[in-house]
Amino acid sequence: MTIFALILALVSAWVVDPADPTLLVFPPYGHCMGIYRAGTEQLAMLLGGLVRFDDPQGLACVKLSEWDSPGENDDDELAVYGVNSRTGHIIYNANMYTLGLYGGNGSGPAQLSAPHGIAADPSGLVVVADTGNRRVVVLERRGTRMKTSSIIEDGFSEPWGVAIGERRSIYVTDRGTGVLRIYDSPSDPAPRSIALDRPTGVAVYGDGSWNALDERFAVVVCSSGTVLNRIEGGEVVASAGISDCGGSVFNYPVIDYYGNTWVTDSISCMIHKFDPDLDYIASFGSPGTGDRQLDRPTGLTLWRRYGQIFVAEREGARYFWVGTDMKIGSFSSSGRGFTMTGTLLEKSMVLAQVFDESGADVATMHNGRMDTGPFTFTWDGTDVLGNPVRGGSMELVIRIEPTYSSRGYFSKTFRQRFDMDIVETGAGQDEGSRRGGRT
Protein backbone atom coordinates (compact mmCIF):
# COMPACT_ATOMS: atom_id res chain seq x y z
CA MET A 1 0.00 0.00 0.00
CA THR A 2 1.36 3.46 -0.88
CA ILE A 3 1.64 6.32 1.61
CA PHE A 4 -1.14 8.12 -0.21
CA ALA A 5 -3.37 5.07 -0.03
CA LEU A 6 -2.97 5.08 3.71
CA ILE A 7 -4.88 8.32 3.98
CA LEU A 8 -6.42 8.98 0.56
CA ALA A 9 -8.38 5.78 0.07
CA LEU A 10 -11.03 5.92 -2.64
CA VAL A 11 -14.59 5.35 -1.46
CA SER A 12 -17.95 4.43 -2.88
CA ALA A 13 -21.15 6.37 -2.25
CA TRP A 14 -22.44 6.50 1.30
CA VAL A 15 -25.11 8.23 3.34
CA VAL A 16 -25.19 9.05 7.04
CA ASP A 17 -27.63 9.60 9.86
CA PRO A 18 -28.86 13.24 9.94
CA ALA A 19 -27.60 13.52 13.53
CA ASP A 20 -24.00 12.73 12.56
CA PRO A 21 -21.75 15.81 12.14
CA THR A 22 -20.65 15.93 8.50
CA LEU A 23 -19.02 19.31 7.99
CA LEU A 24 -16.01 17.10 7.23
CA VAL A 25 -16.36 13.52 5.99
CA PHE A 26 -14.05 10.53 5.85
CA PRO A 27 -13.67 7.23 3.95
CA PRO A 28 -15.73 4.32 5.37
CA TYR A 29 -14.05 1.35 7.02
CA GLY A 30 -14.93 -1.13 4.27
CA HIS A 31 -12.94 0.79 1.68
CA CYS A 32 -9.75 1.74 3.55
CA MET A 33 -9.38 -0.91 6.27
CA GLY A 34 -10.21 1.64 8.95
CA ILE A 35 -7.13 3.79 8.32
CA TYR A 36 -8.50 7.30 8.71
CA ARG A 37 -5.34 8.66 10.28
CA ALA A 38 -1.63 8.15 9.81
CA GLY A 39 -0.28 7.53 13.28
CA THR A 40 2.82 6.31 15.04
CA GLU A 41 2.65 2.79 13.59
CA GLN A 42 2.34 3.97 10.00
CA LEU A 43 5.17 6.46 10.45
CA ALA A 44 7.44 3.77 11.93
CA MET A 45 6.62 1.44 9.03
CA LEU A 46 7.48 4.07 6.41
CA LEU A 47 10.53 5.64 8.10
CA GLY A 48 11.93 2.60 9.85
CA GLY A 49 11.69 4.19 13.30
CA LEU A 50 13.92 7.16 12.40
CA VAL A 51 11.48 9.63 13.94
CA ARG A 52 8.13 9.65 15.69
CA PHE A 53 5.44 12.31 15.85
CA ASP A 54 6.58 14.85 18.44
CA ASP A 55 4.80 18.21 18.69
CA PRO A 56 3.32 18.36 15.15
CA GLN A 57 2.76 21.95 14.05
CA GLY A 58 2.20 23.48 10.60
CA LEU A 59 1.02 21.58 7.53
CA ALA A 60 1.06 22.39 3.82
CA CYS A 61 -0.23 20.56 0.76
CA VAL A 62 0.12 21.29 -2.94
CA LYS A 63 -0.14 19.69 -6.36
CA LEU A 64 3.43 19.80 -7.63
CA SER A 65 3.84 20.89 -11.24
CA GLU A 66 6.33 18.09 -11.85
CA TRP A 67 3.73 15.54 -10.66
CA ASP A 68 0.99 16.90 -12.89
CA SER A 69 0.43 14.55 -15.84
CA PRO A 70 -2.01 15.37 -18.68
CA GLY A 71 -5.62 14.74 -17.74
CA GLU A 72 -7.23 14.69 -14.30
CA ASN A 73 -6.57 11.14 -13.10
CA ASP A 74 -3.76 12.25 -10.78
CA ASP A 75 -5.00 15.72 -9.85
CA ASP A 76 -5.83 14.71 -6.26
CA GLU A 77 -2.32 13.33 -5.63
CA LEU A 78 -0.71 15.95 -3.44
CA ALA A 79 2.62 16.65 -1.84
CA VAL A 80 2.02 17.07 1.89
CA TYR A 81 4.54 18.65 4.26
CA GLY A 82 4.30 18.46 8.06
CA VAL A 83 6.41 20.15 10.73
CA ASN A 84 7.57 17.86 13.55
CA SER A 85 8.65 20.67 15.83
CA ARG A 86 10.40 18.97 18.73
CA THR A 87 12.72 16.97 16.48
CA GLY A 88 13.27 19.87 14.07
CA HIS A 89 12.07 17.90 11.04
CA ILE A 90 9.83 18.35 8.04
CA ILE A 91 8.10 15.06 7.18
CA TYR A 92 6.84 14.85 3.61
CA ASN A 93 5.89 12.32 0.95
CA ALA A 94 8.95 12.02 -1.27
CA ASN A 95 6.72 10.34 -3.85
CA MET A 96 3.46 8.42 -3.70
CA TYR A 97 5.22 5.43 -2.10
CA THR A 98 7.72 6.74 0.44
CA LEU A 99 8.22 9.46 3.02
CA GLY A 100 11.13 11.88 3.20
CA LEU A 101 12.74 13.84 6.05
CA TYR A 102 14.38 17.23 6.03
CA GLY A 103 16.21 18.95 8.85
CA GLY A 104 16.91 17.87 12.40
CA ASN A 105 17.58 19.91 15.51
CA GLY A 106 20.33 22.50 15.15
CA SER A 107 21.25 25.89 13.74
CA GLY A 108 23.06 24.82 10.58
CA PRO A 109 21.81 25.71 7.09
CA ALA A 110 20.05 22.35 6.75
CA GLN A 111 18.78 22.18 10.34
CA LEU A 112 15.78 23.57 12.17
CA SER A 113 15.00 24.49 15.78
CA ALA A 114 11.41 24.42 17.06
CA PRO A 115 9.88 25.22 13.64
CA HIS A 116 6.20 26.11 13.36
CA GLY A 117 4.48 27.28 10.18
CA ILE A 118 5.13 25.89 6.71
CA ALA A 119 3.91 26.74 3.20
CA ALA A 120 4.50 25.32 -0.29
CA ASP A 121 3.63 26.10 -3.91
CA PRO A 122 3.41 24.01 -7.11
CA SER A 123 6.87 25.09 -8.35
CA GLY A 124 8.59 23.32 -5.44
CA LEU A 125 9.06 26.38 -3.22
CA VAL A 126 8.76 25.49 0.48
CA VAL A 127 9.01 28.04 3.28
CA VAL A 128 9.26 27.22 6.99
CA ALA A 129 9.29 29.42 10.09
CA ASP A 130 12.45 28.30 11.92
CA THR A 131 11.28 29.78 15.21
CA GLY A 132 14.08 28.64 17.51
CA ASN A 133 16.74 30.00 15.15
CA ARG A 134 14.82 33.29 14.62
CA ARG A 135 14.79 32.97 10.86
CA VAL A 136 12.74 31.82 7.89
CA VAL A 137 14.20 29.05 5.74
CA VAL A 138 13.42 28.98 2.02
CA LEU A 139 13.69 25.54 0.40
CA GLU A 140 13.48 24.32 -3.18
CA ARG A 141 12.17 20.85 -3.92
CA ARG A 142 13.38 18.90 -6.91
CA GLY A 143 12.18 15.33 -7.27
CA THR A 144 12.21 13.56 -3.93
CA ARG A 145 14.65 15.91 -2.19
CA MET A 146 14.60 19.38 -0.68
CA LYS A 147 17.55 21.68 -0.22
CA THR A 148 18.03 25.11 1.33
CA SER A 149 17.73 27.87 -1.23
CA SER A 150 18.10 30.90 1.04
CA ILE A 151 17.63 32.03 4.62
CA ILE A 152 15.75 35.18 5.64
CA GLU A 153 17.31 36.68 8.76
CA ASP A 154 15.56 40.00 9.16
CA GLY A 155 15.67 40.77 12.86
CA PHE A 156 13.00 38.23 13.72
CA SER A 157 12.24 37.62 17.36
CA GLU A 158 9.77 34.73 17.11
CA PRO A 159 8.78 33.93 13.51
CA TRP A 160 5.71 31.72 13.70
CA GLY A 161 3.45 31.50 10.66
CA VAL A 162 4.24 31.60 6.92
CA ALA A 163 2.18 31.68 3.75
CA ILE A 164 2.96 31.97 0.04
CA GLY A 165 1.00 34.51 -2.01
CA GLU A 166 0.94 35.63 -5.61
CA ARG A 167 4.17 35.46 -7.61
CA ARG A 168 6.03 33.70 -4.79
CA SER A 169 5.46 36.48 -2.26
CA ILE A 170 6.03 35.35 1.32
CA TYR A 171 3.99 36.29 4.40
CA VAL A 172 5.67 35.90 7.79
CA THR A 173 4.22 36.54 11.24
CA ASP A 174 6.58 37.45 14.10
CA ARG A 175 4.87 36.91 17.42
CA GLY A 176 7.73 38.45 19.35
CA THR A 177 7.80 41.81 17.57
CA GLY A 178 4.07 41.92 16.76
CA VAL A 179 4.27 42.27 13.00
CA LEU A 180 3.17 40.65 9.74
CA ARG A 181 5.85 41.03 7.06
CA ILE A 182 5.11 40.65 3.37
CA TYR A 183 8.08 39.93 1.08
CA ASP A 184 7.43 40.38 -2.64
CA SER A 185 9.90 37.56 -3.25
CA PRO A 186 12.27 35.44 -1.15
CA SER A 187 15.03 37.98 -1.88
CA ASP A 188 13.00 41.14 -1.16
CA PRO A 189 15.21 43.41 1.02
CA ALA A 190 12.39 45.80 2.01
CA PRO A 191 9.24 43.93 3.03
CA ARG A 192 6.01 45.67 3.95
CA SER A 193 5.11 45.50 7.65
CA ILE A 194 1.72 45.48 9.34
CA ALA A 195 1.61 45.86 13.12
CA LEU A 196 -0.55 43.23 14.85
CA ASP A 197 -0.94 41.95 18.39
CA ARG A 198 1.10 38.74 18.87
CA PRO A 199 0.37 37.21 15.44
CA THR A 200 0.90 33.50 14.84
CA GLY A 201 -0.88 31.49 12.13
CA VAL A 202 -1.47 33.08 8.71
CA ALA A 203 -3.27 32.10 5.50
CA VAL A 204 -3.60 33.94 2.17
CA TYR A 205 -6.45 34.04 -0.37
CA GLY A 206 -6.22 35.13 -3.99
CA ASP A 207 -2.82 33.48 -4.29
CA GLY A 208 -3.35 31.76 -7.62
CA SER A 209 -5.98 29.48 -9.15
CA TRP A 210 -8.98 27.85 -7.45
CA ASN A 211 -10.43 30.98 -5.87
CA ALA A 212 -14.18 31.56 -6.27
CA LEU A 213 -13.97 35.20 -5.13
CA ASP A 214 -12.16 37.97 -6.95
CA GLU A 215 -10.61 39.14 -3.70
CA ARG A 216 -7.16 39.17 -2.13
CA PHE A 217 -6.73 39.04 1.61
CA ALA A 218 -4.93 37.35 4.48
CA VAL A 219 -6.30 35.90 7.70
CA VAL A 220 -4.01 36.10 10.73
CA VAL A 221 -4.38 34.58 14.20
CA CYS A 222 -3.58 37.29 16.76
CA SER A 223 -3.64 38.10 20.49
CA SER A 224 -2.23 34.78 21.69
CA GLY A 225 -4.71 32.75 19.67
CA THR A 226 -7.88 34.58 20.71
CA VAL A 227 -8.58 36.74 17.63
CA LEU A 228 -8.83 36.17 13.87
CA ASN A 229 -8.12 39.22 11.71
CA ARG A 230 -8.83 39.64 8.02
CA ILE A 231 -6.12 41.83 6.48
CA GLU A 232 -6.86 43.64 3.24
CA GLY A 233 -4.87 46.51 1.76
CA GLY A 234 -2.65 46.59 4.84
CA GLU A 235 -5.62 47.12 7.18
CA VAL A 236 -7.70 44.96 9.50
CA VAL A 237 -11.16 44.93 7.86
CA ALA A 238 -12.88 42.19 9.86
CA SER A 239 -12.29 40.29 13.10
CA ALA A 240 -13.64 37.34 15.05
CA GLY A 241 -13.01 36.45 18.68
CA ILE A 242 -12.60 33.02 20.22
CA SER A 243 -15.85 33.55 22.12
CA ASP A 244 -17.73 33.84 18.82
CA CYS A 245 -17.32 30.10 18.27
CA GLY A 246 -17.23 29.01 21.91
CA GLY A 247 -13.68 27.77 21.47
CA SER A 248 -10.47 27.97 23.48
CA VAL A 249 -7.61 28.92 21.16
CA PHE A 250 -7.00 29.54 17.44
CA ASN A 251 -3.96 27.74 16.02
CA TYR A 252 -3.46 27.53 12.24
CA PRO A 253 -5.95 28.89 9.67
CA VAL A 254 -6.62 27.89 6.06
CA ILE A 255 -8.93 29.50 3.50
CA ASP A 256 -11.08 27.39 1.18
CA TYR A 257 -12.20 27.86 -2.43
CA TYR A 258 -15.18 29.99 -1.40
CA GLY A 259 -13.13 32.25 0.90
CA ASN A 260 -14.23 30.62 4.16
CA THR A 261 -11.66 30.35 6.96
CA TRP A 262 -11.13 27.08 8.82
CA VAL A 263 -8.94 27.16 11.94
CA THR A 264 -7.80 24.51 14.43
CA ASP A 265 -8.43 24.71 18.17
CA SER A 266 -5.99 22.40 19.96
CA ILE A 267 -7.61 22.82 23.39
CA SER A 268 -11.26 22.33 22.47
CA CYS A 269 -10.17 19.71 19.89
CA MET A 270 -12.20 21.29 17.12
CA ILE A 271 -11.95 22.96 13.74
CA HIS A 272 -13.95 26.19 13.56
CA LYS A 273 -15.34 27.59 10.31
CA PHE A 274 -15.97 31.27 9.48
CA ASP A 275 -17.32 32.92 6.34
CA PRO A 276 -15.26 35.42 4.26
CA ASP A 277 -16.32 38.26 6.61
CA LEU A 278 -15.28 36.13 9.62
CA ASP A 279 -18.83 35.55 10.77
CA TYR A 280 -18.98 32.22 12.58
CA ILE A 281 -20.59 29.30 10.72
CA ALA A 282 -19.98 26.06 12.64
CA SER A 283 -17.44 23.79 14.31
CA PHE A 284 -16.42 20.18 13.80
CA GLY A 285 -14.91 17.70 16.24
CA SER A 286 -14.65 16.89 19.93
CA PRO A 287 -11.84 15.55 22.14
CA GLY A 288 -10.83 11.98 21.42
CA THR A 289 -9.53 9.58 18.80
CA GLY A 290 -12.81 8.43 17.28
CA ASP A 291 -13.90 8.93 13.68
CA ARG A 292 -15.40 12.38 14.21
CA GLN A 293 -13.11 13.39 17.05
CA LEU A 294 -9.78 15.21 17.07
CA ASP A 295 -6.79 14.72 19.36
CA ARG A 296 -5.19 18.11 20.06
CA PRO A 297 -5.29 19.33 16.42
CA THR A 298 -2.69 21.94 15.44
CA GLY A 299 -1.57 22.13 11.81
CA LEU A 300 -4.17 22.43 9.07
CA THR A 301 -3.95 22.52 5.28
CA LEU A 302 -6.51 22.41 2.48
CA TRP A 303 -6.32 21.82 -1.27
CA ARG A 304 -8.95 24.17 -2.67
CA ARG A 305 -9.67 22.42 -5.93
CA TYR A 306 -11.11 19.27 -4.38
CA GLY A 307 -11.72 20.29 -0.76
CA GLN A 308 -9.12 17.92 0.67
CA ILE A 309 -8.19 18.72 4.28
CA PHE A 310 -5.25 17.41 6.31
CA VAL A 311 -5.08 17.88 10.09
CA ALA A 312 -2.03 17.45 12.34
CA GLU A 313 -2.85 15.86 15.69
CA ARG A 314 -0.87 15.07 18.81
CA GLU A 315 0.38 11.73 17.48
CA GLY A 316 -0.40 11.71 13.80
CA ALA A 317 -2.39 13.26 10.98
CA ARG A 318 -5.95 12.98 9.71
CA TYR A 319 -7.38 13.29 6.23
CA PHE A 320 -10.91 14.51 5.43
CA TRP A 321 -12.99 15.79 2.56
CA VAL A 322 -15.04 18.94 2.94
CA GLY A 323 -18.59 17.66 3.42
CA THR A 324 -21.75 19.57 4.17
CA ASP A 325 -24.30 19.86 6.92
CA MET A 326 -27.46 21.70 7.85
CA LYS A 327 -29.02 22.98 11.05
CA ILE A 328 -32.81 23.00 11.19
CA GLY A 329 -34.14 26.08 12.93
CA SER A 330 -37.94 25.75 12.98
CA PHE A 331 -40.79 24.03 11.18
CA SER A 332 -44.42 25.11 11.41
CA SER A 333 -47.38 23.67 9.50
CA SER A 334 -50.38 25.89 8.82
CA GLY A 335 -52.79 23.12 7.83
CA ARG A 336 -52.38 23.96 4.15
CA GLY A 337 -48.62 24.34 3.85
CA PHE A 338 -45.56 25.01 5.99
CA THR A 339 -42.66 27.33 6.76
CA MET A 340 -39.23 25.94 7.56
CA THR A 341 -36.07 27.81 8.55
CA GLY A 342 -32.54 26.50 8.76
CA THR A 343 -28.88 27.19 8.12
CA LEU A 344 -26.75 25.53 5.46
CA LEU A 345 -23.18 25.13 6.74
CA GLU A 346 -21.49 24.67 3.35
CA LYS A 347 -22.36 25.73 -0.19
CA SER A 348 -24.17 22.67 -1.51
CA MET A 349 -26.33 21.04 -4.10
CA VAL A 350 -29.78 20.98 -2.50
CA LEU A 351 -32.90 19.10 -3.55
CA ALA A 352 -35.94 19.87 -1.37
CA GLN A 353 -39.18 18.11 -2.30
CA VAL A 354 -42.64 17.51 -0.82
CA PHE A 355 -44.18 14.04 -1.14
CA ASP A 356 -47.74 12.95 -0.48
CA GLU A 357 -48.80 9.78 1.31
CA SER A 358 -48.60 7.76 -1.92
CA GLY A 359 -44.96 8.76 -2.37
CA ALA A 360 -45.63 11.11 -5.28
CA ASP A 361 -43.55 14.28 -5.62
CA VAL A 362 -46.07 17.11 -5.39
CA ALA A 363 -43.76 20.13 -5.00
CA THR A 364 -40.11 21.03 -5.38
CA MET A 365 -38.91 23.79 -3.05
CA HIS A 366 -35.34 23.97 -4.39
CA ASN A 367 -33.21 22.07 -6.90
CA GLY A 368 -29.67 23.35 -7.43
CA ARG A 369 -26.86 25.12 -5.64
CA MET A 370 -27.51 26.95 -2.41
CA ASP A 371 -25.11 29.29 -0.61
CA THR A 372 -23.88 28.88 2.93
CA GLY A 373 -26.08 30.64 5.47
CA PRO A 374 -29.69 30.88 6.65
CA PHE A 375 -32.61 29.91 4.41
CA THR A 376 -36.41 29.73 4.53
CA PHE A 377 -38.69 27.35 2.66
CA THR A 378 -42.36 28.33 2.47
CA TRP A 379 -45.03 26.25 0.75
CA ASP A 380 -48.69 27.17 0.28
CA GLY A 381 -49.98 23.68 -0.45
CA THR A 382 -50.22 24.03 -4.23
CA ASP A 383 -48.45 22.31 -7.07
CA VAL A 384 -46.37 23.83 -9.86
CA LEU A 385 -49.54 24.80 -11.73
CA GLY A 386 -51.00 26.55 -8.71
CA ASN A 387 -53.57 23.84 -8.03
CA PRO A 388 -54.21 22.80 -4.43
CA VAL A 389 -52.68 19.47 -3.39
CA ARG A 390 -55.20 17.09 -1.80
CA GLY A 391 -53.29 16.89 1.49
CA GLY A 392 -53.21 14.26 4.21
CA SER A 393 -49.96 12.77 5.53
CA MET A 394 -47.08 14.59 3.83
CA GLU A 395 -43.26 14.58 4.01
CA LEU A 396 -40.63 17.22 3.24
CA VAL A 397 -37.36 15.58 2.11
CA ILE A 398 -34.19 17.65 1.80
CA ARG A 399 -31.10 16.06 0.26
CA ILE A 400 -27.79 17.93 0.39
CA GLU A 401 -24.51 17.16 -1.38
CA PRO A 402 -21.16 19.00 -1.25
CA THR A 403 -19.74 20.78 -4.29
CA TYR A 404 -16.22 19.41 -3.73
CA SER A 405 -14.79 15.95 -4.47
CA SER A 406 -17.08 14.22 -1.99
CA ARG A 407 -20.06 15.02 -4.24
CA GLY A 408 -21.30 11.76 -5.69
CA TYR A 409 -19.73 9.86 -2.78
CA PHE A 410 -21.59 11.49 0.08
CA SER A 411 -25.06 12.89 0.65
CA LYS A 412 -27.20 13.67 3.66
CA THR A 413 -30.99 13.55 3.83
CA PHE A 414 -33.32 15.30 6.26
CA ARG A 415 -36.99 14.32 6.57
CA GLN A 416 -39.90 16.18 8.15
CA ARG A 417 -43.39 14.65 8.29
CA PHE A 418 -46.46 16.86 8.64
CA ASP A 419 -50.22 16.69 8.15
CA MET A 420 -52.24 18.83 5.78
CA ASP A 421 -55.95 19.47 5.76
CA ILE A 422 -57.56 17.40 3.04
CA VAL A 423 -59.36 19.19 0.24
CA GLU A 424 -61.12 17.50 -2.61
CA THR A 425 -59.51 18.18 -5.99
CA GLY A 426 -60.69 17.50 -9.52
CA ALA A 427 -59.12 14.75 -11.58
CA GLY A 428 -57.27 17.26 -13.73
CA GLN A 429 -55.94 19.06 -10.71
CA ASP A 430 -54.92 15.82 -9.05
CA GLU A 431 -53.05 14.70 -12.18
CA GLY A 432 -51.33 18.09 -12.46
CA SER A 433 -50.16 17.91 -8.87
CA ARG A 434 -48.13 14.84 -9.67
CA ARG A 435 -46.17 16.27 -12.60
CA GLY A 436 -43.69 18.36 -10.72
CA GLY A 437 -43.10 20.85 -7.99
CA ARG A 438 -42.66 24.44 -7.07
CA THR A 439 -39.32 26.07 -7.88
Side-chain angles (χ1 to χ4, degrees):
M1 180 179 291
T2 71
I3 174 59
F4 221 61
L6 287 172
I7 52 179
L8 299 188
L10 296 175
V11 302
S12 61
W14 79 93
V15 295
V16 297
D17 188 284
D20 291 338
T22 54
L23 197 60
L24 299 176
V25 295
F26 49 86
Y29 182 90
H31 291 268
C32 62
M33 299 178 292
I35 302 175
Y36 311 136
R37 68 165 46 88
T40 301
E41 291 182 2
Q42 288 77 28
L43 189 66
M45 178 179 69
L46 291 161
L47 286 179
L50 291 175
V51 68
R52 59 175 296 148
F53 290 114
D54 198 350
D55 191 21
Q57 289 292 326
L59 282 177
C61 69
V62 69
K63 176 64 181 180
L64 289 171
S65 298
E66 65 180 42
W67 286 8
D68 197 5
S69 302
E72 297 185 356
N73 291 337
D74 64 349
D75 283 1
D76 62 347
E77 296 178 357
L78 306 177
V80 183
Y81 305 85
V83 170
N84 207 45
S85 187
R86 196 159 287 125
T87 67
H89 285 107
I90 298 171
I91 303 172
Y92 64 101
N93 51 326
N95 51 42
M96 303 312 297
Y97 301 90
T98 60
L99 289 181
L101 276 178
Y102 174 89
N105 277 320
S107 58
Q111 294 178 309
L112 302 169
S113 175
H116 282 87
I118 191 168
D121 80 354
S123 73
L125 175 67
V126 179
V127 180
V128 60
D130 190 6
T131 310
N133 287 320
R134 300 185 179 185
R135 65 189 186 184
V136 170
V137 177
V138 179
L139 307 169
E140 290 287 347
R141 175 171 180 163
R142 292 293 178 266
T144 63
R145 297 184 177 276
M146 295 194 297
K147 66 177 183 178
T148 302
S149 172
S150 61
I151 293 176
I152 304 174
E153 295 179 298
D154 198 10
F156 294 116
S157 172
E158 198 176 9
W160 198 277
V162 292
I164 298 174
E166 287 187 294
R167 296 181 292 276
R168 295 165 66 97
S169 59
I170 296 175
Y171 292 64
V172 182
T173 60
D174 189 339
R175 186 172 74 167
T177 59
V179 69
L180 168 66
R181 295 184 185 176
I182 305 173
Y183 297 82
D184 288 337
S185 70
S187 59
D188 183 2
R192 290 165 285 160
S193 295
I194 301 170
L196 296 168
D197 180 38
R198 291 161 289 167
T200 51
V202 58
V204 176
Y205 187 79
D207 52 345
S209 57
W210 312 118
N211 302 306
L213 306 178
D214 186 19
E215 299 178 14
R216 290 167 176 78
F217 61 90
V219 171
V220 184
V221 174
C222 295
S223 303
S224 297
T226 61
V227 173
L228 281 177
N229 284 323
R230 171 170 165 155
I231 311 295
E232 196 170 350
E235 301 289 336
V236 176
V237 299
S239 295
I242 195 68
S243 61
D244 294 340
C245 60
S248 300
V249 66
F250 295 135
N251 298 105
Y252 291 90
V254 295
I255 306 172
D256 68 18
Y257 175 76
Y258 297 111
N260 303 304
T261 294
W262 305 66
V263 58
T264 48
D265 181 339
S266 60
I267 296 177
S268 296
C269 297
M270 290 181 171
I271 297 173
H272 306 297
K273 182 181 178 183
F274 296 82
D275 72 11
D277 296 320
L278 296 186
D279 291 323
Y280 175 64
I281 297 174
S283 299
F284 176 89
S286 62
T289 58
D291 288 339
R292 297 178 178 88
Q293 296 179 312
L294 297 170
D295 185 19
R296 296 297 178 109
T298 49
L300 186 66
T301 186
L302 181 150
W303 184 238
R304 290 181 189 145
R305 181 174 184 180
Y306 293 123
Q308 299 162 270
I309 286 187
F310 298 83
V311 187
E313 296 184 297
R314 176 163 44 185
E315 292 187 348
R318 296 287 298 269
Y319 169 77
F320 295 98
W321 284 337
V322 173
T324 187
D325 213 341
M326 184 176 75
K327 292 181 180 178
I328 297 176
S330 64
F331 183 92
S332 60
S333 176
S334 64
R336 287 299 301 167
F338 66 80
T339 297
M340 175 190 171
T341 65
T343 302
L344 193 62
L345 306 184
E346 172 67 33
K347 188 181 184 80
S348 303
M349 302 301 297
V350 177
L351 176 61
Q353 297 172 290
V354 179
F355 295 87
D356 66 15
E357 56 191 359
S358 72
D361 169 16
V362 298
T364 298
M365 310 304 299
H366 189 91
N367 186 10
R369 291 199 176 210
M370 183 180 291
D371 289 335
T372 304
F375 66 86
T376 300
F377 289 145
T378 300
W379 183 51
D380 62 3
T382 62
D383 64 17
V384 68
L385 300 177
N387 300 319
V389 174
R390 183 173 184 273
S393 179
M394 312 291 288
E395 186 176 37
L396 169 65
V397 179
I398 304 174
R399 183 174 184 265
I400 60 176
E401 281 189 289
T403 61
Y404 290 103
S405 60
S406 51
R407 182 183 177 191
Y409 295 90
F410 161 78
S411 67
K412 193 169 190 177
T413 301
F414 298 81
R415 300 177 181 273
Q416 177 68 54
R417 294 188 178 275
F418 63 99
D419 293 324
M420 279 180 59
D421 297 338
I422 295 177
V423 297
E424 294 303 323
T425 60
Q429 291 178 336
D430 220 29
E431 176 65 23
S433 72
R434 282 161 170 75
R435 288 194 189 121
R438 178 177 301 276
T439 57

